């Protein structure tokens, strides 16, 4: 049980997608109980079930040395019993005990004697649950004595009767044989050979066992008798055992191929049958058992992968299994059945309409229709002749998701008809109306040979989508060979009324009524007789009474349930039977609780009821084993051990008690237990799921189970304490003995232990072969249940990380075609958690829908490309990225390491009004998706931007709104109106609290004119408002809504700002003056005036962290005051910017208070508050003006909008580069508002549309480095940590390979043309078009050497980093020493595309029709190959592994392999003619065996240079570039899509990796920008792509075959950055300039060094190895 079952369970799930369940009614049950008659009966019943239903192995027998005792009979027919009694008296036995324990029952047919329940007879048995174990052992002892005595009497009497011949041996057998024999006989005795293949027996003999009989523990292993205190083996039992073991089984084996294993165990001489012997045997048995099971399973079960994705098949199986179940319960024959049968028969003529069956709840509609469905086929065949082949389609609406929704219901019916009549549906219509037309057309396919019957049960269960309940879709006029039967409740959703208006014929309606009592009594009688029971006449009165009240079929069934257990001596009164279905069901549940323990029933039925689609038996067993409260109720503390599980007999008994009510239904490949009807479900819900806390706990436990939280041997704590439910408050009135509270138990003694509960792992898919990841079984149970329970139990984190952010879940959903379901799950999770990561994920998936549904394998690469750029701002996506790393390579071998993809991003939009002129103000709130908007017409509305719903609205209709403000805690909303009043509202309830008038100063300068409120501001408890041209500020208390006092200022007030703590108010005025007031007392504290006293104070910023206040005037000048001493502020700094004539548009203080952004119409300035200097300044172009600007969260970038443009621009502060411009489709942007709480940006367009942007995502977009020009070539340093790019400008960029950031810029005088690196990557040699060469130190960025004088066409460095070759086209080329800059030799021939051989001896290059090898020491041509006239060399390559060979192609389409050393052609291969018209690319494998060419079409040509064979491999598009990996195993190419497939938005080209061994594409990844350069790294297979916009993308290839590379990704730097939670820190990018003066100038044949040049530049990383001759050269 501990080791083998879980393994077998996994085996079945992974290989067949089915469950492996063991039914063992011995395990977990007290051995004393093994013989109980009740258990015996149940055991036989389950045995029969297993034999009938198991798909694989169905019976395992273990036979040891013990036969088992005969049983105490549970019920004996009266004739037999009396005969035995007489015999016993004759034999002189004391029969009192029989008379005492057996009781006659007249209700049995024929009458019988039954054993009274132990509980009744043994006095204190009932209480043993609570009382100590002493009472239990007392009882056990008493019962043992009684049962031994009863067995003895029966045995003696029966043997006597048998001798006399009065009792036949077949009759006697049941009194004399043990359970073992019975079961073996039943399972193996009467079966077919084919069936016996699925059974196994293990026989085990123990040699010389008898002599150890006296050891006490031996009683477990053999039958013993005690006589005269001597313990001996029971010979009689042993003989019977031998009979079974050595006669019966061999006989079965002879007739069939039953597997039987025999083994002999030898005892230890001293200890007898010791623990060691036992465990040795068990180990062997386990191994053997596992192998046999696997064998049998493989032989009998077939793997069925096709049904995995076939939803139609699944749907039909579900309904058929329900149909089979329901029809088996159809016992009450009724005339309705005949009416339906009549209706189904073919009619001669006349119109045919659907038949409607209706009736109240529990009238048996479903059972009737199930019976009809079951019989229809045979009825029609009988009527119309055996060659007809009717098609019957049945749907129980509401029983599955597909059948509840009209669209899927019609679709599955159409598909089923089409399959049956072999028609093709070319495409499924999108419109529901067309779906109905399709259905009507398909109905016409039926014929007299193949009539069609459609049965729809429970129309009222349809969801009301597509107006389904109006029944417009139901075909009313049917073809002659089609019949439709529907059923409905009479008064739900008006469906019956609707039907009456569609179908006028009265004969088309069948009402199921309550039946007359006589018929019911008759049925009940029949039913009882079929199980050999009856009701005595005295009891019949009460039965009749009950039936007089109700005769619903279900009620009659419930009565039968109750009555079948009645005994004749039972006192029955009018309370025994209930009068309604409802009460009877509750009564039934109560009686089960009494039998099985309320806690168990409570939870078990609760789980079944709350599960979304029901539970399998095995799941129920697992879940109850996890539920400590159930275990605590059942387990006896003495036998707690791992694995801790509930014994199966509980579930078996529960199922038996509820037979017919808890029905089984087949969903995919599992059998679920569900309630037979909605009634039962409702009552179970009411009884067991009413306590909120319990329900929450249960959902949580189910969620844990489906998450696999306790799987794989993880242990769960269990407190052993019987009373710990008292605290759980299970309805006490039904559970009186749980009332004692916990004080009786010392809390400390509740010992905690953890036990393994053996629940299974729950992956999303079961895979049998890890190398074939696309062959799998979906874990449908987890798919169905998990999200449901997670949302119900509020486990949002598990929901987010366990499901939504789980790559395996996403991939599986997409693979089985449930893309939209996955999306709706993500949206659901978003609505629960409000995590913006989920929202982003949903939009991302929508954008790649077409691509991944077509090719699910590309999911990981697609996601990584899109998520990598934003993961810094949306950190919770890291989890998903890591999942992609882990599981993605199974399906797609390309893993993006750094993605430079521009994130496509569209904001949430909300149209507010027709033009922005009507908007007064928009306030963001603490909730990310809620904004408050004030419009001119006086309405103040609260909107939910995401769902575009209006939440609340305040109408100030009487006046025009001037402005609105919210207090920081969002408690009050204050509105200023043109009537000079402030309205104070409760923000959450939207009710007006008070209205306060704002007064001007008494001596107002302007007489008679009307003045409005000029402005107002809020502190935490006060509102401060002032009128136009007024010197007074009104202070209003928000809580009570009355004016407190007025602040009198010197000049007219222009702005007011309160300190963050709400203590002080700073009032800015004309003449650049500010006055400070104390808000609590109203005192004037201080006044300050700035130097620039011309203008007025535009804005006041308070930096409370460093006690400073900043006044900014209307021209953007600012003065900074230290406010540490609030009554005497000191001027610290004056900052004058008056020269700039533009107006200040907006001012913002960054969150960390380190920078201030001042946005003017013509420029944006950023000030650093530490030093009060301008940090950056951005100027607008001549004609442009800024509308608004804000800082991003980390103040790294500036987001701004210009006048009359509809874009939002993002600038990087450090480089001044415009990183992104986001187009707002709604029109020109007039306003930007930043919400500090959630880092959101609200933009208002001129059309009155509000858009909400996420600054995080915008910042992430600006995080991608770009050079701005297409990348032309790219060098990777030897350690593969840096990338150097040239883009045709005068700079080279050095990128950090793993982070994708530019770290250094090398600036040249002219445009850079060539660039080479030393192997270590420490030195870089470059040349530009101004005839200069530079040597750079790459780590410090210093230009250490510069040479002028020649324009270079190609630079090369020898492999040992010693020499540089500079090739010129005009002058002589040179070879010079990198260490000193001195010339080694001149080369006088011109060479194109030169290469240096690996031994550093030759420089090989082409020269029109010659291939030359030039010595690097002398510069002379040492070897050459000359083609015939008119033939040129097109392309050549060195073979990496054999250095002195060159492969080249000539214009005559011939490939030559040429040995440089001995100047001979080794091999020549002729290509097809016209092959070279457009040769694009030519590569050679490292061993020189294969040449790979692409010609700019869709094929890759692979040429075998040894045999000369040419092979074509078809590529996915037109090939642009291809590269072979260094080891020659993979070909990486980029191809452009064919134009006819432009379904994927934005896909420019694809990057594809192909394994050359089998020509299989092992990974594709779409590129969303135009690539301009492709480069592969030398060591590991990394790919670097340069793009048109100057960004680079890096990818790595992980072929499943290489596990080592997997580890490489996990440790690669870019992932570590993703892993650690801190923000990616961008290194400051340093720019390094060139030397202005050359160190050396090259003349025609000499070099002139400048005096101060640092001659020794040796930093190449290799020690100098110079010969003496060159020593002298150094000394020159």
């Amino acid at each position: 049980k501990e080791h083998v079952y879980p393994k077998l369970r996994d085996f079945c799930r992974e290989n067949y997608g089915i469950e492996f369940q063991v039914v063992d009614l011995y395990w977990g049950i007290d051995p004393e109980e093994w013989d109980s008659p009740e258990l015996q009966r149940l055991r036989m019943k389950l045995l029969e079930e297993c034999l009938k239903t198991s798909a694989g192995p169905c019976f395992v027998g273990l036979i040891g040395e013990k036969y088992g005792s005969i049983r105490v009979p549970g019920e004996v027919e009266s004739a037999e019993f009396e005969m035995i009694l007489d015999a016993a008296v004759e034999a002189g036995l004391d029969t009192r005990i029989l008379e005492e324990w057996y009781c006659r029952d007249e209700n049995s047919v024929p009458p019988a004697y039954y054993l009274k329940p132990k509980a009744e007879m043994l006095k204190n048995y009932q209480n043993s649950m609570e009382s100590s174990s002493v009472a239990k052992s007392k009882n056990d002892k008493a019962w043992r004595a009684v049962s031994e005595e009863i067995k003895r009497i029966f045995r003696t009497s029966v043997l006597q009767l048998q001798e006399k011949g009065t009792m036949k041996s077949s009759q006697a057998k049941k009194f004399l044989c043990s359970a073992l024999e019975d079961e073996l006989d039943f399972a193996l005795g009467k079966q077919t050979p084919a069936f016996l293949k699925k059974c196994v027996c293990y026989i085990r003999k123990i040699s010389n066992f008898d002599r150890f009989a006296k050891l006490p523990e031996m009683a477990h292993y053999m039958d013993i008798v005690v006589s005269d205190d001597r313990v001996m083996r029971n010979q009689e039992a042993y003989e019977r055992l031998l009979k079974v073991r050595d006669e019966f089984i061999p006989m079965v084996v002879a007739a069939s191929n039953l597997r039987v294993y025999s083994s002999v165990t030898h005892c230890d001489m001293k200890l007898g049958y010791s623990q060691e012997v036992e465990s040795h045997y068990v180990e062997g048995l386990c191994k053997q058992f596992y192998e046999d099971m696997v064998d049998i399973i493989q032989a009998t079960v077939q793997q069925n992968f096709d049904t995995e994705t076939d939803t139609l098949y699944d749907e039909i199986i579900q309904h058929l299994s329900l149909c089979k179940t329901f029809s088996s319960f159809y016992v009450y024959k009724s005339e309705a059945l005949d009416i339906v049968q009549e209706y189904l028969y073919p009619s001669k003529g006349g119109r045919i309409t659907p038949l409607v069956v209706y009736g109240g709840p529990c009238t048996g509609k479903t059972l009737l229709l199930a019976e009809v469905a079951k019989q229809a086929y045979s009825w029609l065949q009988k009527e119309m002749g055996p060659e007809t082949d009717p098609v019957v389609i049945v749907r129980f609406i509401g029983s599955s998701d597909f059948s509840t929704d009209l669209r899927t219901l019609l679709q599955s019916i159409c598909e089923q008809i089409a399959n049956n009549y072999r028609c093709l549906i070319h495409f499924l219509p999108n419109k529901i109306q067309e779906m109905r037309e399709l259905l009507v057309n398909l109905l016409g396919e039926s014929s007299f040979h193949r009539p069609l019957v459609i049965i729809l049960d429970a129309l009222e269960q349809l969801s009301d989508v597509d107006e389904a309940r109006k029944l417009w879709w139901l075909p009313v006029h049917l073809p002659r060979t089609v019949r439709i039967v529907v059923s409905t409740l009479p008064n739900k959703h008006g469906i019956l009324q609707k039907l009456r208006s569609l179908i006028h014929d009265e004969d088309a309606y069948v009402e199921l009524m309550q039946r007359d009592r006589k018929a019911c009594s008759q049925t009940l009688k029949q039913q009882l007789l079929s199980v050999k029971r009856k009701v005595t006449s005295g009891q019949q009165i009460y039965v009749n009474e009950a039936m007089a009240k109700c005769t619903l079929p279900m009620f009659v069934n419930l009565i039968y349930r109750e009555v079948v257990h009645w005994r004749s001596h039972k006192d029955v009164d009018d309370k025994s039977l209930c009068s309604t279905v409802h009460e009877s069901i509750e009564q039934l549940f109560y009686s089960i609780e009494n039998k099985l323990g309320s806690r168990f029933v409570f939870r078990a039925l609760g789980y079944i009821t709350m599960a979304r689609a029901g539970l399998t038996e095995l799941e129920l067993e697992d879940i109850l084993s996890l539920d400590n409260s159930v275990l605590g109720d059942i387990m006896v503390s003495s036998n707690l051990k791992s694995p801790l599980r509930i014994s199966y007999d509980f579930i078996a008994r529960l199922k038996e008690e509820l037979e017919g009510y808890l029905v089984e239904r087949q969903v995919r490949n599992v059998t679920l237990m569900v309630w037979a009807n909605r009634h039962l479900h409702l009552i179970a819900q009411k009884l067991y799921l009413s306590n909120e806390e319990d329900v929450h706990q249960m959902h949580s436990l189910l969620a844990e189970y489906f998450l696999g939280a306790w799987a794989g041997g993880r242990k769960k704590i269990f407190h052993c304490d019987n009373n710990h439910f008292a605290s759980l408050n299970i309805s006490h009135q039904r559970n009186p003995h749980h009332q004692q509270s916990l004080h009786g138990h010392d809390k400390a003694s509740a010992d905690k232990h953890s036990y393994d509960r053996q629940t299974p792992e729950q992956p999303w898919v079961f895979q049998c072969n890890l190398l074939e990841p696309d062959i799998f079984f979906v874990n449908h149970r987890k798919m169905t249940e998990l999200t449901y329970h997670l949302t119900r139990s509020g486990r949002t984190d598990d929901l987010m990380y366990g499901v939504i952010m789980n790559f395996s879940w996403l991939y599986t959903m997409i693979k089985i075609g449930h893309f939209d379901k996955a999306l709706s799950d993500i949206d659901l999770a978003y609505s629960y958690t409000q995590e913006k990561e989920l929202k982003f994920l949903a939009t991302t998936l929508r954008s790649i829908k077409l691509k991944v549904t077509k090719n699910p394998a590309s999911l990981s690469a697609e996601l990584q490309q899109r998520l990598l750029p934003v993961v810094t701002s949306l950190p919770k996506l890291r989890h998903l990225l890591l999942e992609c790393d882990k599981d993605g390579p199974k399906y797609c071998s390309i893993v993006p390491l750094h993605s430079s993809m521009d994130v496509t991003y569209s904001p949430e939009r909300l149209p507010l009004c027709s033009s922005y002129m009507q908007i007064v103000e928009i306030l963001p709130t603490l909730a990310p998706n809620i904004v408050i908007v004030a419009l001119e017409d006086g309405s103040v509305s609260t909107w939910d931007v995401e769902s575009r719903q209006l939440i609340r609205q305040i109408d100030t209709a009487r006046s025009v709104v001037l402005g609105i403000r919210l207090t920081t805690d969002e408690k009050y909303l204050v509105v200023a109106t043109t009537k000079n009043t402030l309205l104070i509202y409760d923000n959450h309830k939207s009710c007006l609290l008070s209205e306060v008038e704002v007064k001007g100063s008494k001596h107002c300068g302007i007489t008679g004119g009307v003045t409005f409120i000029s402005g107002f501001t809020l502190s935490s408890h006060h509102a401060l408002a002032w009128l136009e041209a007024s010197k007074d500020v009104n202070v209003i208390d928000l809580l009570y809504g009355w004016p407190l006092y007025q602040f009198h200022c010197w000049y007219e007030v222009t702005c007011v700002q309160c300190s963050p703590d709400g203590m002080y108010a700073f009032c800015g005025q004309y003449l650049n003056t500010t006055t400070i007031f104390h808000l609590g007392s109203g005192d004037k504290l201080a006044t300050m005036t700035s130097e620039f006293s011309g203008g007025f104070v535009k804005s006041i910023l308070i930096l409370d962290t460093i006690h400073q206040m900043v006044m900014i005037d209307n021209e953007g000048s600012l003065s900074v005051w230290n406010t540490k001493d609030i009554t005497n502020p000191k001027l610290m700094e004056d900052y004058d910017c008056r020269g700039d004539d533009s107006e200040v548009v907006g001012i913002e203080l960054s969150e960390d208070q380190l920078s201030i952004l001042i946005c003017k119409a013509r420029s944006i300035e950023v000030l650093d508050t530490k030093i009060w200097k301008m940090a950056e300044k951005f100027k607008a172009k001549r004609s442009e003006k800024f509308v608004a600007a804000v800082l991003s969260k980390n103040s790294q970038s500036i987001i701004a909008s210009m006048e009359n443009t509809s874009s939002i621009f993002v600038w990087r502060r450090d480089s001044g580069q415009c990183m992104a411009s986001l187009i707002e489709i709604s029109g020109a942007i007039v306003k930007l508002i930043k919400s500090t709480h959630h880092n959101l940006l609200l933009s208002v367009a001129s059309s009155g549309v509000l858009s909400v942007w996420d600054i995080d995502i915008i910042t992430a977009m600006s995080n991608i480095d770009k050079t701005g020009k297409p990348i032309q070539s790219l060098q990777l340093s030897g350690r593969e940590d840096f990338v150097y790019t040239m883009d045709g400008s005068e700079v080279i960029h050095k990128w950090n390979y793993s982070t994708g950031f530019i770290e250094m810029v090398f600036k040249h005088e002219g445009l850079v043309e060539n660039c080479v690196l030393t192997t270590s990557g420490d030195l870089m040699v470059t040349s530009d078009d101004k005839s200069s060469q530079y040597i750079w130190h790459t780590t410090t960025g210093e230009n250490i050497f510069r040479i002028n004088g020649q324009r270079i066409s190609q630079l090369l460095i020898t492999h040992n980093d010693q020499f540089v070759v500079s090739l010129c086209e005009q002058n002589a080329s040179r070879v010079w020493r990198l260490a000193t800059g001195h010339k080694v030799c001149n080369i006088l021939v011109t060479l194109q595309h030169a290469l240096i051989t690996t031994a550093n001896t030759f420089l090989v290059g082409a020269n029109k029709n010659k291939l030359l090898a030039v010595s690097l020491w002398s510069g002379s041509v040492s070897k050459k190959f000359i083609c015939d006239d008119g033939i040129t060399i097109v392309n050549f390559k060195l073979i990496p592994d054999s250095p002195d060979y060159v492969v080249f192609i000539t214009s005559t389409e011939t490939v030559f392999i040429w040995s440089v050393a001995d100047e001979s052609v080794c091999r020549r291969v002729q290509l097809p003619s016209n092959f070279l018209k457009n040769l694009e690319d030519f590569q050679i494998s490292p061993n020189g065996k294969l040449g790979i060419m692409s010609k700019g079409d869709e094929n890759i040509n692979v040429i075998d240079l040894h045999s000369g064979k040419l092979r074509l491999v078809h590529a996915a598009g037109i090939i642009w570039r291809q590269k072979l990996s260094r080891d020659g195993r993979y070909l990486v190419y980029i191809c452009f899509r064919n134009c006819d497939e432009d379904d994927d938005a934005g896909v420019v080209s694809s990057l594809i990796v192909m394994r050359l061994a089998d020509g299989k594409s092992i990974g594709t990844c779409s590129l969303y920008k135009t690539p301009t350069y492709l480069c592969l790294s030398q060591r590991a297979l990394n790919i670097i792509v340069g793009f048109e916009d100057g960004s680079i993308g890096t990818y790595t290839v992980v072929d499943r075959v290489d596990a080592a590379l997997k580890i490489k990704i996990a440790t690669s730097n870019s992932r570590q950055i993703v892993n650690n939670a801190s923000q990616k820190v961008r290194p400051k990018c340093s720019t390094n300039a060139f030397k202005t003066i050359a160190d050396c100038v090259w003349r025609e044949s000499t070099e002139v060094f400048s005096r101060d040049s640092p001659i020794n530049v040796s930093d190449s990383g290799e020690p100098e190895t110079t010969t003496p001759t060159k020593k002298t050269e150094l000394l020159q």
Side-chain angles (χ1 to χ4, degrees), residues 965 1014-1017 1026 1052-1057 1066-1075 1088 1090 1092-1102 1109-1119 1121 1137 1142-1148 1156-1161 1186-1187:
R965 298 267 186 284
S1014 163
F1016 73 107
T1017 183
W1026 62 99
E1052 289 167 18
V1053 180
T1054 53
C1055 72
V1056 175
Q1057 183 67 39
F1066 298 80
C1067 303
Q1069 304 146 58
Y1070 266 93
L1071 302 183
N1072 277 353
T1073 302
T1074 300
T1075 311
M1088 357 174 218
S1090 111
F1092 331 106
S1093 50
F1096 57 86
V1097 180
K1098 170 88 182 181
S1099 164
I1100 296 173
L1101 299 176
I1102 294 153
M1109 183 211 73
V1110 186
M1111 282 158 51
I1112 301 167
D1113 72 6
N1114 53 330
E1115 289 179 347
S1117 305
L1118 46 88
S1119 55
W1121 301 76
C1137 351
S1142 67
E1143 178 77 9
V1144 176
V1145 185
I1147 295 164
E1148 186 194 349
I1156 293 176
L1157 173 116
I1158 301 177
C1159 173
K1160 305 184 183 177
F1186 288 111
V1187 176

Side-chain angles (χ1 to χ4, degrees), residues 605 620 1204 1317 1425:
L605 296 185
L620 184 59
N1204 301 331
L1317 291 167
F1425 175 92

Side-chain angles (χ1 to χ4, degrees), residues 1013-1026:
I1013 293 180
S1014 163
F1016 73 107
T1017 183
L1018 304 181
S1019 76
S1020 40
H1021 303 295
H1022 302 92
L1024 295 85
W1026 62 99

Side-chain angles (χ1 to χ4, degrees), residues 711-928:
R714 287 187 281 278
K715 298 185 168 184
K716 182 171 173 178
I717 281 188
F718 174 63
H719 313 274
C720 176
D721 168 8
N722 267 333
N723 293 318
H724 77 288
F725 318 106
S727 55
L728 281 177
N729 172 19
I730 313 158
S731 43
H732 284 304
Q733 66 281 11
R734 288 169 35 204
N735 223 345
H737 56 263
H738 273 322
Q739 296 252 314
Q740 325 139 350
S741 68
L742 283 174
H743 59 250
H745 261 256
D746 186 5
K747 255 312 214 264
S749 71
D751 46 344
K752 290 185 184 179
H753 289 296
S754 299
Y755 297 97
D756 175 11
R757 309 298 171 85
Q758 258 192 2
T759 55
E761 293 284 357
Q762 296 278 6
W764 289 104
V765 288
F766 303 119
Q767 286 171 340
C768 47
N769 177 357
L770 293 175
L771 288 173
E772 289 288 340
D774 276 345
I775 297 182
F776 57 71
F777 289 102
V778 180
N779 186 345
H780 289 289
R781 297 292 300 132
K782 180 170 181 176
M783 290 267 173
T784 322
E785 300 286 342
L786 185 57
T787 18
Y788 176 74
H789 296 297
L790 284 173
T791 45
R792 292 297 142 105
S793 58
R795 300 175 69 131
T796 47
D797 274 7
D798 283 332
L799 176 65
M800 199 152 144
Y801 297 119
V803 185
I804 307 298
M805 296 272 191
N806 183 305
F807 175 78
S808 174
W809 172 77
L810 261 176
Y811 177 78
T812 311
M813 287 298 260
I814 291 170
K815 183 80 184 163
I816 60 174
H818 289 176
F819 188 91
D820 298 323
K821 170 87 176 73
L823 267 183
S824 64
D825 278 354
I826 297 178
D827 290 339
L828 172 80
Y830 175 65
S831 66
Y832 272 92
T833 56
Q834 290 294 317
E835 298 282 0
K836 52 186 172 189
E837 278 86 350
L838 295 179
K839 190 163 141 193
F840 185 78
L841 180 61
T843 19
T844 304
L845 283 171
R846 283 192 182 95
S847 66
I848 55 177
K849 175 172 180 178
L850 283 162
K851 188 163 180 52
V852 295
T853 39
K854 208 160 61 192
N855 174 16
S858 62
L859 176 69
S860 62
E862 290 293 333
L863 279 177
Q864 282 165 317
Q865 276 205 83
R866 287 176 158 73
L867 303 182
L868 274 170
V870 297
V871 71
T872 43
S873 354
L874 301 174
K876 294 200 170 114
L877 289 169
R878 284 205 176 105
H879 182 82
L880 181 56
L881 275 173
L882 293 174
E883 290 259 324
C884 288
D885 283 347
K886 196 173 80 213
D887 296 337
K890 286 189 212 161
Y891 312 102
C892 168
S893 300
I894 300 182
V895 180
L897 292 180
H898 162 71
S899 160
S900 61
M901 184 178 155
D902 292 326
V903 185
T904 42
Y905 174 57
S906 59
E908 298 280 354
R909 295 197 174 81
L910 174 73
L912 294 173
C913 50
S914 53
S915 152
Y916 76 96
M917 303 293 287
Q918 301 166 5
I919 300 175
V920 177
E921 194 140 11
I922 298 179
L923 297 180
T925 64
L926 288 171

Side-chain angles (χ1 to χ4, degrees), residues 1530-1625:
Y1530 302 101
L1531 181 73
V1532 177
Y1533 64 89
I1534 290 182
C1535 66
F1536 287 97
R1537 277 298 173 79
N1538 324 348
C1539 298
D1540 53 333
E1541 299 183 27
D1542 48 13
D1543 54 356
D1544 286 352
V1547 177
V1548 179
S1549 53
S1550 301
L1551 172 70
I1552 299 181
V1553 178
M1554 187 173 91
R1555 206 187 294 138
L1556 274 181
D1558 51 6
K1560 191 177 153 207
S1561 262
I1562 55 170
T1564 56
C1565 176
S1566 314
L1567 304 177
Y1568 290 84
K1569 304 179 184 175
T1570 311
T1572 51
Y1573 194 80
L1574 169 69
C1575 161
L1576 296 193
S1577 67
Q1578 290 293 320
R1579 287 189 300 188
L1581 188 43
N1582 292 333
I1583 306 168
I1584 303 164
V1585 182
F1587 294 107
E1588 205 174 29
D1589 62 353
S1591 56
I1592 61 171
T1594 54
Y1595 309 85
T1596 186
V1597 175
V1598 181
D1599 192 353
R1600 277 212 306 282
V1601 186
D1602 308 344
L1605 279 172
K1606 262 202 181 137
I1607 298 162
K1608 193 193 98 225
I1609 296 197
T1611 53
S1612 87
N1613 302 353
S1614 80
R1615 291 302 143 134
Q1616 286 166 1
I1617 289 194
V1618 173
N1619 291 347
N1620 62 20
S1622 67
Q1623 196 83 350
K1624 264 198 215 184
V1625 181

Side-chain angles (χ1 to χ4, degrees), residues 1377-1424:
R1377 204 168 245 297
L1378 178 59
T1380 60
H1382 283 155
K1383 174 176 81 175
V1384 177
C1385 61
N1386 285 352
I1387 299 175
L1388 298 171
V1389 285
T1390 56
L1391 298 172
Q1392 269 102 23
H1393 309 301
L1395 299 167
I1396 295 176
T1397 57
T1398 32
N1400 298 326
T1401 42
F1402 297 114
L1403 177 71
V1404 181
N1407 184 342
K1408 295 200 184 63
N1409 64 340
K1410 305 195 234 352
L1411 187 68
L1412 307 175
V1414 177
S1415 158
L1416 285 175
W1417 291 108
S1418 62
S1420 55
V1421 174
S1422 35
K1423 317 272 182 196
K1424 61 183 172 211

Side-chain angles (χ1 to χ4, degrees), residues 1294-1312:
K1294 170 181 169 187
W1295 306 68
N1296 183 325
Y1297 171 78
S1298 41
T1299 60
F1301 289 140
I1302 296 177
E1303 289 197 350
M1304 227 173 244
V1305 178
F1306 302 95
K1307 223 166 158 44
H1308 297 64
E1309 196 171 351
L1311 304 176
V1312 186

